[in-house]
Short mmCIF file of all heavy atoms in Angstrom, two decimals:
data_model
loop_
_atom_site.label_atom_id
_atom_site.label_comp_id
_atom_site.label_asym_id
_atom_site.label_seq_id
_atom_site.Cartn_x
_atom_site.Cartn_y
_atom_site.Cartn_z
N ALA A 19 179.74 -63.03 176.99
CA ALA A 19 178.55 -62.85 177.64
C ALA A 19 178.31 -61.35 178.06
O ALA A 19 177.14 -60.96 178.05
CB ALA A 19 178.42 -63.69 178.96
N LEU A 20 179.33 -60.62 178.34
CA LEU A 20 179.25 -59.24 178.54
C LEU A 20 180.09 -58.38 177.58
O LEU A 20 181.21 -58.84 177.23
CB LEU A 20 179.76 -58.89 179.97
CG LEU A 20 178.94 -59.51 181.17
CD1 LEU A 20 179.57 -59.12 182.50
CD2 LEU A 20 177.43 -58.83 181.15
N ALA A 21 179.60 -57.24 177.13
CA ALA A 21 180.37 -56.37 176.24
C ALA A 21 180.78 -55.16 177.03
O ALA A 21 180.11 -54.69 177.94
CB ALA A 21 179.49 -55.98 175.12
N GLN A 22 181.97 -54.62 176.63
CA GLN A 22 182.43 -53.44 177.19
C GLN A 22 182.64 -53.50 178.70
O GLN A 22 182.45 -52.58 179.45
CB GLN A 22 181.51 -52.25 176.89
CG GLN A 22 181.17 -52.08 175.37
CD GLN A 22 182.24 -51.25 174.73
OE1 GLN A 22 182.89 -50.43 175.40
NE2 GLN A 22 182.44 -51.51 173.43
N GLU A 23 183.00 -54.62 179.24
CA GLU A 23 183.15 -54.76 180.61
C GLU A 23 184.32 -53.80 181.17
O GLU A 23 184.13 -53.20 182.26
CB GLU A 23 183.56 -56.23 181.06
CG GLU A 23 183.51 -56.51 182.51
CD GLU A 23 182.09 -56.35 183.09
OE1 GLU A 23 181.10 -56.60 182.38
OE2 GLU A 23 182.00 -55.94 184.33
N ASN A 24 185.34 -53.71 180.48
CA ASN A 24 186.34 -52.67 180.76
C ASN A 24 186.27 -51.57 179.67
O ASN A 24 186.58 -51.72 178.58
CB ASN A 24 187.73 -53.26 180.70
CG ASN A 24 188.00 -54.29 181.82
OD1 ASN A 24 187.68 -54.04 182.81
ND2 ASN A 24 188.50 -55.45 181.35
N VAL A 25 185.68 -50.43 180.15
CA VAL A 25 185.37 -49.35 179.18
C VAL A 25 186.66 -48.80 178.63
O VAL A 25 187.54 -48.32 179.32
CB VAL A 25 184.46 -48.31 179.93
CG1 VAL A 25 184.24 -47.07 178.97
CG2 VAL A 25 183.21 -48.92 180.36
N LYS A 26 186.75 -48.74 177.27
CA LYS A 26 187.84 -48.01 176.54
C LYS A 26 187.16 -47.10 175.64
O LYS A 26 186.52 -47.60 174.75
CB LYS A 26 188.75 -49.04 175.92
CG LYS A 26 189.95 -48.42 175.29
CD LYS A 26 190.84 -49.44 174.63
CE LYS A 26 192.02 -48.77 173.99
NZ LYS A 26 192.99 -49.74 173.20
N ARG A 27 187.42 -45.81 175.87
CA ARG A 27 186.92 -44.84 174.88
C ARG A 27 187.52 -44.94 173.55
O ARG A 27 188.75 -45.12 173.40
CB ARG A 27 187.11 -43.37 175.42
CG ARG A 27 186.38 -43.20 176.80
CD ARG A 27 186.75 -41.74 177.27
NE ARG A 27 186.15 -41.48 178.60
CZ ARG A 27 186.41 -40.43 179.31
NH1 ARG A 27 187.32 -39.52 178.91
NH2 ARG A 27 185.84 -40.29 180.50
N PRO A 28 186.68 -44.89 172.49
CA PRO A 28 187.26 -44.89 171.08
C PRO A 28 187.97 -43.59 170.95
O PRO A 28 187.76 -42.55 171.63
CB PRO A 28 186.00 -45.03 170.23
CG PRO A 28 184.86 -44.49 170.99
CD PRO A 28 185.22 -44.85 172.50
N LYS A 29 188.93 -43.53 169.90
CA LYS A 29 189.58 -42.32 169.64
C LYS A 29 188.74 -41.27 169.05
O LYS A 29 188.95 -40.09 169.29
CB LYS A 29 190.75 -42.61 168.65
CG LYS A 29 191.70 -41.43 168.42
CD LYS A 29 192.82 -41.83 167.38
CE LYS A 29 193.79 -42.68 168.05
NZ LYS A 29 194.97 -42.88 167.12
N ALA A 30 187.68 -41.70 168.22
CA ALA A 30 186.86 -40.64 167.53
C ALA A 30 185.61 -41.41 166.91
O ALA A 30 185.62 -42.66 166.95
CB ALA A 30 187.70 -39.92 166.48
N VAL A 31 184.78 -40.60 166.51
CA VAL A 31 183.64 -41.08 165.66
C VAL A 31 183.75 -40.43 164.30
O VAL A 31 183.77 -39.18 164.26
CB VAL A 31 182.23 -40.80 166.26
CG1 VAL A 31 181.13 -41.31 165.38
CG2 VAL A 31 182.07 -41.52 167.59
N VAL A 32 183.82 -41.20 163.23
CA VAL A 32 183.79 -40.74 161.86
C VAL A 32 182.59 -41.15 161.15
O VAL A 32 182.26 -42.37 161.01
CB VAL A 32 185.12 -41.16 161.07
CG1 VAL A 32 185.07 -40.64 159.70
CG2 VAL A 32 186.26 -40.64 161.84
N GLU A 33 181.75 -40.11 160.58
CA GLU A 33 180.64 -40.40 159.88
C GLU A 33 180.90 -39.99 158.43
O GLU A 33 181.22 -38.79 158.15
CB GLU A 33 179.37 -39.71 160.41
CG GLU A 33 179.05 -40.13 161.87
CD GLU A 33 178.04 -39.32 162.48
OE1 GLU A 33 178.32 -38.28 163.03
OE2 GLU A 33 176.84 -39.70 162.45
N LEU A 34 180.76 -40.95 157.53
CA LEU A 34 181.03 -40.69 156.09
C LEU A 34 179.65 -40.66 155.32
O LEU A 34 178.92 -41.71 155.43
CB LEU A 34 181.90 -41.62 155.47
CG LEU A 34 182.14 -41.53 154.02
CD1 LEU A 34 182.98 -40.25 153.68
CD2 LEU A 34 182.95 -42.73 153.39
N PHE A 35 179.32 -39.59 154.65
CA PHE A 35 178.23 -39.59 153.76
C PHE A 35 178.68 -39.82 152.31
O PHE A 35 179.60 -39.05 151.77
CB PHE A 35 177.52 -38.17 153.85
CG PHE A 35 176.92 -38.03 155.25
CD1 PHE A 35 177.62 -37.38 156.27
CD2 PHE A 35 175.74 -38.57 155.57
CE1 PHE A 35 177.23 -37.22 157.51
CE2 PHE A 35 175.21 -38.43 156.89
CZ PHE A 35 175.94 -37.81 157.84
N THR A 36 178.18 -40.84 151.80
CA THR A 36 178.79 -41.39 150.54
C THR A 36 177.74 -42.01 149.60
O THR A 36 176.54 -42.13 149.98
CB THR A 36 179.84 -42.55 150.89
OG1 THR A 36 180.49 -42.93 149.55
CG2 THR A 36 179.17 -43.79 151.50
N SER A 37 178.10 -42.35 148.41
CA SER A 37 177.21 -42.90 147.44
C SER A 37 177.82 -43.83 146.44
O SER A 37 178.97 -43.55 145.94
CB SER A 37 176.38 -41.79 146.62
OG SER A 37 175.62 -42.34 145.59
N GLN A 38 177.28 -44.89 146.08
CA GLN A 38 177.80 -45.87 145.13
C GLN A 38 177.89 -45.25 143.73
O GLN A 38 178.57 -45.69 142.94
CB GLN A 38 176.98 -47.18 145.07
CG GLN A 38 177.05 -47.93 146.41
CD GLN A 38 175.99 -49.02 146.49
OE1 GLN A 38 175.31 -49.37 145.38
NE2 GLN A 38 175.81 -49.70 147.63
N GLY A 39 176.99 -44.20 143.54
CA GLY A 39 176.95 -43.58 142.26
C GLY A 39 177.92 -42.33 142.12
O GLY A 39 177.83 -41.64 141.14
N CYS A 40 178.79 -42.15 143.10
CA CYS A 40 179.67 -40.95 143.12
C CYS A 40 180.99 -41.38 142.77
O CYS A 40 181.56 -42.24 143.46
CB CYS A 40 179.61 -40.35 144.46
SG CYS A 40 180.90 -39.27 144.94
N ASN A 41 181.54 -40.87 141.59
CA ASN A 41 182.95 -41.39 141.20
C ASN A 41 184.05 -40.87 142.00
O ASN A 41 185.17 -41.33 141.89
CB ASN A 41 183.15 -41.11 139.71
CG ASN A 41 183.21 -39.53 139.40
OD1 ASN A 41 183.12 -38.79 140.27
ND2 ASN A 41 183.26 -39.30 138.19
N SER A 42 183.84 -39.92 142.87
CA SER A 42 184.86 -39.35 143.82
C SER A 42 184.85 -40.00 145.14
O SER A 42 185.57 -39.73 146.08
CB SER A 42 184.79 -37.85 143.96
OG SER A 42 183.51 -37.46 144.38
N CYS A 43 183.89 -40.98 145.35
CA CYS A 43 183.65 -41.57 146.77
C CYS A 43 184.54 -42.80 146.99
O CYS A 43 184.83 -43.03 148.26
CB CYS A 43 182.22 -41.94 146.85
SG CYS A 43 181.13 -40.53 147.20
N PRO A 44 185.06 -43.55 146.00
CA PRO A 44 185.80 -44.81 146.37
C PRO A 44 186.96 -44.51 147.30
O PRO A 44 187.16 -45.23 148.24
CB PRO A 44 186.21 -45.33 145.05
CG PRO A 44 185.06 -45.02 144.14
CD PRO A 44 184.56 -43.60 144.56
N PRO A 45 187.77 -43.45 147.12
CA PRO A 45 188.83 -43.22 147.99
C PRO A 45 188.36 -42.99 149.53
O PRO A 45 188.98 -43.43 150.43
CB PRO A 45 189.57 -41.99 147.55
CG PRO A 45 189.21 -42.00 146.08
CD PRO A 45 187.82 -42.59 145.96
N ALA A 46 187.25 -42.26 149.58
CA ALA A 46 186.71 -42.07 150.96
C ALA A 46 186.13 -43.35 151.51
O ALA A 46 186.28 -43.62 152.81
CB ALA A 46 185.56 -40.98 150.86
N ASP A 47 185.50 -44.20 150.75
CA ASP A 47 185.01 -45.44 151.23
C ASP A 47 186.24 -46.32 151.69
O ASP A 47 186.11 -46.98 152.70
CB ASP A 47 184.35 -46.22 150.04
CG ASP A 47 183.04 -45.53 149.61
OD1 ASP A 47 182.40 -44.94 150.40
OD2 ASP A 47 182.82 -45.58 148.45
N GLU A 48 187.35 -46.26 151.07
CA GLU A 48 188.55 -46.98 151.44
C GLU A 48 189.04 -46.45 152.72
O GLU A 48 189.47 -47.19 153.65
CB GLU A 48 189.54 -46.95 150.36
CG GLU A 48 190.82 -47.75 150.75
CD GLU A 48 191.82 -47.86 149.64
OE1 GLU A 48 191.54 -47.42 148.53
OE2 GLU A 48 192.91 -48.37 149.85
N THR A 49 189.05 -45.09 152.97
CA THR A 49 189.58 -44.59 154.20
C THR A 49 188.68 -45.00 155.24
O THR A 49 189.24 -45.35 156.33
CB THR A 49 189.59 -43.01 154.00
OG1 THR A 49 190.58 -42.62 153.12
CG2 THR A 49 189.90 -42.39 155.44
N LEU A 50 187.35 -44.93 155.14
CA LEU A 50 186.48 -45.30 156.20
C LEU A 50 186.73 -46.78 156.52
O LEU A 50 186.70 -47.22 157.72
CB LEU A 50 185.00 -45.19 155.86
CG LEU A 50 184.12 -45.39 156.95
CD1 LEU A 50 183.89 -44.05 157.80
CD2 LEU A 50 182.81 -46.02 156.56
N SER A 51 186.94 -47.72 155.56
CA SER A 51 187.16 -49.14 155.76
C SER A 51 188.44 -49.25 156.57
O SER A 51 188.44 -50.06 157.43
CB SER A 51 187.33 -49.80 154.50
OG SER A 51 186.05 -49.85 153.81
N ARG A 52 189.41 -48.55 156.25
CA ARG A 52 190.65 -48.63 157.09
C ARG A 52 190.53 -48.33 158.55
O ARG A 52 191.00 -48.86 159.45
CB ARG A 52 191.76 -47.75 156.44
CG ARG A 52 192.25 -48.22 155.15
CD ARG A 52 193.36 -47.33 154.60
NE ARG A 52 193.79 -47.78 153.25
CZ ARG A 52 194.83 -48.70 152.94
NH1 ARG A 52 195.42 -49.23 154.09
NH2 ARG A 52 195.12 -49.05 151.78
N LEU A 53 189.69 -47.21 158.76
CA LEU A 53 189.40 -46.73 160.20
C LEU A 53 188.56 -47.88 160.98
O LEU A 53 188.84 -48.11 161.95
CB LEU A 53 188.64 -45.46 160.11
CG LEU A 53 189.47 -44.25 159.63
CD1 LEU A 53 188.45 -43.09 159.44
CD2 LEU A 53 190.61 -43.97 160.59
N ALA A 54 187.55 -48.48 160.11
CA ALA A 54 186.73 -49.46 160.78
C ALA A 54 187.64 -50.74 161.17
O ALA A 54 187.44 -51.30 162.17
CB ALA A 54 185.62 -49.97 159.85
N LEU A 55 188.50 -51.05 160.27
CA LEU A 55 189.40 -52.23 160.54
C LEU A 55 190.45 -52.04 161.66
O LEU A 55 190.81 -53.00 162.30
CB LEU A 55 190.10 -52.72 159.27
CG LEU A 55 189.24 -53.27 158.10
CD1 LEU A 55 189.97 -53.45 156.88
CD2 LEU A 55 188.65 -54.56 158.55
N ALA A 56 190.83 -50.66 161.75
CA ALA A 56 191.81 -50.31 162.87
C ALA A 56 191.18 -50.67 164.19
O ALA A 56 191.99 -51.00 165.21
CB ALA A 56 192.30 -48.95 162.68
N GLY A 57 189.90 -50.45 164.38
CA GLY A 57 189.36 -50.86 165.69
C GLY A 57 189.18 -49.77 166.75
O GLY A 57 188.54 -49.94 167.77
N ASP A 58 189.94 -48.71 166.56
CA ASP A 58 189.95 -47.70 167.62
C ASP A 58 189.15 -46.51 167.29
O ASP A 58 189.05 -45.43 168.07
CB ASP A 58 191.33 -47.22 167.96
CG ASP A 58 192.05 -46.68 166.77
OD1 ASP A 58 191.59 -46.75 165.68
OD2 ASP A 58 193.25 -46.15 167.02
N VAL A 59 188.38 -46.55 166.18
CA VAL A 59 187.55 -45.44 165.75
C VAL A 59 186.16 -46.03 165.44
O VAL A 59 186.04 -47.13 164.81
CB VAL A 59 188.06 -44.74 164.53
CG1 VAL A 59 186.97 -43.75 163.90
CG2 VAL A 59 189.32 -43.94 164.84
N VAL A 60 185.00 -45.37 165.93
CA VAL A 60 183.73 -45.77 165.42
C VAL A 60 183.46 -45.17 164.11
O VAL A 60 183.32 -43.92 163.92
CB VAL A 60 182.58 -45.26 166.54
CG1 VAL A 60 181.23 -45.58 165.99
CG2 VAL A 60 182.87 -45.92 167.87
N ALA A 61 183.51 -45.92 163.05
CA ALA A 61 183.42 -45.51 161.64
C ALA A 61 182.10 -45.98 161.12
O ALA A 61 181.87 -47.20 161.00
CB ALA A 61 184.66 -46.11 160.82
N LEU A 62 181.37 -44.96 160.64
CA LEU A 62 180.01 -45.29 160.16
C LEU A 62 179.85 -44.67 158.69
O LEU A 62 180.12 -43.50 158.47
CB LEU A 62 178.90 -44.75 161.06
CG LEU A 62 179.07 -45.22 162.46
CD1 LEU A 62 178.20 -44.32 163.40
CD2 LEU A 62 178.54 -46.69 162.52
N ALA A 63 179.24 -45.42 157.74
CA ALA A 63 179.06 -45.01 156.47
C ALA A 63 177.57 -44.72 156.12
O ALA A 63 176.73 -45.75 156.20
CB ALA A 63 179.62 -46.01 155.44
N TYR A 64 177.12 -43.56 155.94
CA TYR A 64 175.68 -43.19 155.55
C TYR A 64 175.56 -43.03 154.08
O TYR A 64 176.04 -42.05 153.56
CB TYR A 64 175.28 -41.97 156.32
CG TYR A 64 175.34 -42.04 157.84
CD1 TYR A 64 176.46 -41.84 158.50
CD2 TYR A 64 174.14 -42.16 158.48
CE1 TYR A 64 176.42 -41.85 159.87
CE2 TYR A 64 174.15 -42.17 159.92
CZ TYR A 64 175.30 -41.96 160.63
OH TYR A 64 175.37 -41.96 161.96
N HIS A 65 175.05 -44.04 153.39
CA HIS A 65 174.89 -44.06 152.10
C HIS A 65 173.57 -43.12 151.74
O HIS A 65 172.51 -43.39 152.28
CB HIS A 65 174.65 -45.32 151.37
CG HIS A 65 175.97 -46.06 151.28
ND1 HIS A 65 176.57 -46.43 150.18
CD2 HIS A 65 176.81 -46.57 152.28
CE1 HIS A 65 177.80 -47.10 150.41
NE2 HIS A 65 177.87 -47.20 151.66
N VAL A 66 173.79 -42.09 150.85
CA VAL A 66 172.65 -41.17 150.60
C VAL A 66 172.01 -41.41 149.23
O VAL A 66 172.66 -42.14 148.33
CB VAL A 66 173.19 -39.74 150.60
CG1 VAL A 66 173.69 -39.41 152.07
CG2 VAL A 66 174.18 -39.44 149.52
N ASP A 67 170.81 -40.99 149.03
CA ASP A 67 170.12 -41.38 147.82
C ASP A 67 169.93 -40.29 146.72
O ASP A 67 169.37 -40.52 145.63
CB ASP A 67 168.71 -41.89 148.19
CG ASP A 67 167.85 -40.72 148.88
OD1 ASP A 67 168.37 -39.59 149.02
OD2 ASP A 67 166.76 -41.04 149.34
#
Side-chain angles (χ1 to χ4, degrees):
L20 292 176
Q22 303 278 332
E23 191 62 32
N24 295 313
V25 177
K26 182 180 180 181
R27 296 175 183 173
K29 182 181 287 188
V31 175
V32 176
E33 298 173 277
L34 174 68
F35 295 93
T36 185
S37 172
Q38 296 168 8
C40 159
N41 64 5
S42 58
C43 285
D47 298 324
E48 183 176 351
T49 292
L50 188 92
S51 295
R52 290 180 182 275
L53 293 172
L55 291 168
D58 58 351
V59 170
V60 175
L62 302 167
Y64 296 80
H65 286 247
V66 298
D67 60 5

